[in-house]
Amino acid sequence: MQSSGQMVVASRLSDGRVVFLGTGAQWVEDLQLGALARHKDEGEALLQSARKAEAANQVVEAYLITVETIAGKRRATDWRESIRACGPTVRTDLLTHTS
Amino acid sequence: MYRYDEFDHTLVAERVAVFRRQVERRLTGDITEDQFKPLRLPNGLYLQLHAYMLRINVPYGCLSSRQLRKLAFIARRFDRGFGHFTTRQNIQFNWIRLDEAPDILAELADVEMNTMQSSGNCVRNITADQFAGRARDEIEDPRPWCELIRQWSILHPEFGYLPRKFKIAVTGAASDRAAVKFHDVGLYLRRNAEGVIGFEVIVGGGQGRTPYVGLTIREWLAKEDLFSYLEAILRIYNLGGRRDNPNKARIKIQVNALGIDEFRRLVEEEWAEIKASPLLNVDPAEVARITAYFAPPAWEDLPEETVALDRLRKAQPAFDAWYRANVVGHRTPGYAIVNLSLKSPGIAPGDLTAEQMDRVADLADRFSLGELRVSHRQNLVFTDVRQKELHELWTELARISLATANIGTLTDIVACPGLDFCSLANARAIPVAQDISRHFSDAATLQDIGELTINISGCMNACGHHHVGHIGILGVEKKGQEFYQLTLGGSSAEDAALGERLGRAISADEVPAAIEALVARYKSLRSGDERFLDTWRRVGIEPFQDAVYGEGVTPRREVA
Amino acid sequence: MALIRNGKLVDDIHIDARTLDPVPVDQPVIVSLLQWQAHRDTLLAGKQSLGIRLQSDQPPALLGADLRHFAVVALEFPKFRDGRAYTHARMLRERLGFRGELRAVGDVLQEQLNYMQRCGFDTFEISTADPLAAWQAIENDHTVWYQATGDGRPRALELRRQQAR
């Protein structure tokens, strides 16, 4: 089964790490654990929440990405975002997550 | 090499203190990201795909073993155990924390290193021939001049907010190993008709979206006029360079728009005003002070080791291959220059692990007077190796995968970090380099192909210098897929040229086969000991298009 | 706007006349280049202290001999990234011999004040809520410079020599 939705990705201010907006305005490092917006309105709400986190100097450069879920596993549809979420393709010893 | 005195130390320490305060202001929310970005960039701190990236200056490519050990420490303590040497002789770390960045700068200051102006719209790290002071074809060591220019440019109050970045390269050799004609300003140490050494000044070279080979603005400049002339160029650029579009803001655009003659007229007019200014004098005592740091070391009186080396080379083909590819003649008998290839098969070009850094530092102490160099082709160099110790050094280097016999050959690939690390990239560069280097791993094959440079960039900004590779590879993105455009015939050497686009872009999978086809065509066409580049220049593009796209297939020419 | 001079907040006797029509001639004003070109003789006849505010694409050399009529030259930074006024400031001080007040206006950030001062600016309109604090935060940032400018500060070269003596 395949479905798609949106998530917010950003860089954490203190260490620059790639983070995804989770539920309850928490930021998580694993794309699988972030909040998934099924509709445009939900996506906008996530982005609004992210703007607050930017204003509060938690994260920088937040934006929406599209993710698809295949067999229960999410991945970013955009190749660049997929590399951001998973880490470089060339230093697999440095992968941040196996997703 | 140059050593900081108390004033250099103070200047760097003050700068670190300023940056520490700026970082604190950012972390506490005193300033916004928009306000902070122009503060962190001139300290070399970028926000990249995965984390902050820190670019550290290696001034004109000179490193001491002590500095390299510090870089190893930083790689371990603050990063993920490796660093990446760039095409501007710098080193980058990829997983830096903002809140630790000031501590890293303080660590660097301890070993007389800094990140000042490694980014931002200012004069960047001065680059030079990696064999400076040791090359046989050199009329004068460029490093004292690099250090003088470095000091002149650092925190220059007038030129901190130029239209765009500004890169300067210097060489004193006949062979251009510093890509001098592809810099905003390039300097060749040259003799004039009277035999006096001064500078030929090149201006307006560069790569990126709009590549240009630099043009001679002045055939010969007296050394004592160096600062006033540079200041005149920077002034004309600061006032007249475009500020409406960052893609058109480099000096090359201004030079090309005005024409070199008009640009020269403006510079000379400004120069006439400031030439005699005591503010810009090149002080002979200061030149002497700095030159003394680069005085030749106390080389031993050694014989050329021809016979012994020949015996070892005959006995061990692998050593012979390495010797032929990686060892370069030294200006002093009994010594050799040794290239350490950071391009072993399957490795990201320019990467070095912390363990390798420590070992290389030890080897530099043991074999090369404690110093090494970084080349703009992302390799390391030992400048003062006794010929009688070459075999021993080779054995040691092989243990840490730094003895690949491929300098100047097809697998000595230059590549930018590409989409694996860089937020500007459109496509990956490193995996393409890895594929090619695995495909052509046989030393004998590489030697047969001879000199052939491959340069790979992951986007139009051309950090991998694809325009000047004998074979250039540019990553592009089409509908979410990575494709690669080939250019042929580029050169960053004294025969500077921009590559010509071969045809339609190909997929990553097709790249090694395309390189194979180009090489096969070259081998079938070459006459005598012609290099790939010479054959290309003689026969033109068509045979190579046929080789890659098939006989009679006219490749669809694409608009850039 | 608050003005910093010699580390203190000072009052500006001039009014910003750029949007005023007609330009007042009975009090000290700062005018634009266009206003100066249109009303030069009237302004001079008013015998008030005069200032001119130049955009970053208006080189001070355009003023020619008129430069002597101005007590204040204000150079505008439309964006902090636009560095042309650093060169213009040095030209005013080191070539055109301007000894009056050289004011930095526009997008003037705390972090730029040291460079501006070295290029010859002596008053600053700083884009921040507390300009005095901004000045105090940076005024001791740098004691060593490699370059000489018209401000007469010794460069590292001279410091080295003094020490060697």
Side-chain angles (χ1 to χ4, degrees), chain B residues 2 5-8 10-11 14-15 18 21-22 25 38-39 117 121 150-162 231 235 238-239 243 270 273-274 278-279 281 283 285-286 289, chain C residues 56 79-88 90-91 94-95 109-112 114-116 118-119 127 137-138 140-150 155-157 159-161 163:
Chain B
Y2 184 71
D5 67 5
E6 69 169 89
F7 302 105
D8 301 303
T10 302
L11 185 147
E14 288 175 342
R15 173 71 166 208
V18 168
R21 186 187 67 215
Q22 291 166 345
R25 287 177 71 201
L39 307 181
Q117 298 178 197
N121 295 336
R150 185 191 76 81
Q151 296 194 14
W152 162 80
S153 68
I154 286 296
L155 303 185
H156 195 303
E158 185 178 342
F159 303 130
Y161 297 89
L162 296 169
E231 196 127 331
R235 232 174 218 185
N238 192 36
L239 293 178
R243 291 177 183 272
E270 175 60 27
E273 295 276 352
I274 57 179
L279 304 179
N281 68 329
D283 183 76
E286 182 68 355
R289 183 186 78 89
Chain C
S56 60
K79 291 186 185 126
F80 77 87
R81 284 185 191 82
D82 185 340
R84 283 175 283 189
Y86 295 98
T87 293
H88 290 154
R90 289 194 69 186
M91 298 268 201
E94 297 169 28
R95 187 168 308 169
L109 306 184
Q110 166 180 333
E111 284 72 22
Q112 301 176 296
N114 281 305
Y115 281 8
M116 289 176 177
R118 291 235 54 207
C119 287
S127 333
I138 59 87
N140 298 316
D141 276 355
H142 300 287
T143 61
V144 177
W145 297 86
Y146 286 127
Q147 307 79 9
T149 67
R155 55 185 151 166
L157 175 70
L159 298 175
R160 283 175 185 132
R161 241 180 239 154
Q163 188 196 48

Side-chain angles (χ1 to χ4, degrees), chain C residues 15-152:
Chain C
I15 62 160
D16 183 353
R18 283 176 302 153
T19 56
L20 302 181
D21 185 25
V23 179
V25 295
D26 55 351
Q27 57 181 316
V29 286
I30 292 181
V31 297
S32 68
L33 181 63
L34 272 178
Q35 286 173 314
W36 171 250
Q37 287 162 344
H39 306 294
R40 179 182 181 279
D41 294 342
T42 328
L43 282 161
L44 285 176
K47 296 195 182 304
Q48 297 289 328
S49 176
L50 294 174
I52 189 159
R53 180 172 171 132
L54 297 175
Q55 306 295 308
S56 60
D57 60 355
Q58 297 171 335
L62 282 178
L63 297 172
D66 280 357
L67 184 59
R68 68 196 156 95
H69 299 304
F70 296 106
V72 179
V73 175
L75 299 181
E76 184 167 326
F77 292 80
K79 291 186 185 126
F80 77 87
R81 284 185 191 82
D82 185 340
R84 283 175 283 189
Y86 295 98
T87 293
H88 290 154
R90 289 194 69 186
M91 298 268 201
L92 274 166
R93 290 295 195 216
E94 297 169 28
R95 187 168 308 169
L96 304 173
F98 181 66
R99 295 279 166 268
E101 176 186 335
L102 183 49
R103 187 183 298 184
V105 297
D107 193 12
V108 176
L109 306 184
Q110 166 180 333
E111 284 72 22
Q112 301 176 296
L113 298 174
N114 281 305
Y115 281 8
M116 289 176 177
Q117 196 180 26
R118 291 235 54 207
C119 287
F121 289 100
D122 56 359
T123 61
F124 308 90
E125 279 184 14
I126 308 170
S127 333
T128 181
D130 188 349
L132 194 56
W135 178 268
Q136 287 162 351
I138 59 87
E139 63 179 336
N140 298 316
D141 276 355
H142 300 287
T143 61
V144 177
W145 297 86
Y146 286 127
Q147 307 79 9
T149 67
D151 70 357

Side-chain angles (χ1 to χ4, degrees), chain B residues 99 163 487:
Chain B
D99 48 15
T487 55

Side-chain angles (χ1 to χ4, degrees), chain B residues 45 78 132 256 258 468 480:
Chain B
L45 194 66
F78 298 102
N256 194 59
L258 291 171
V468 296

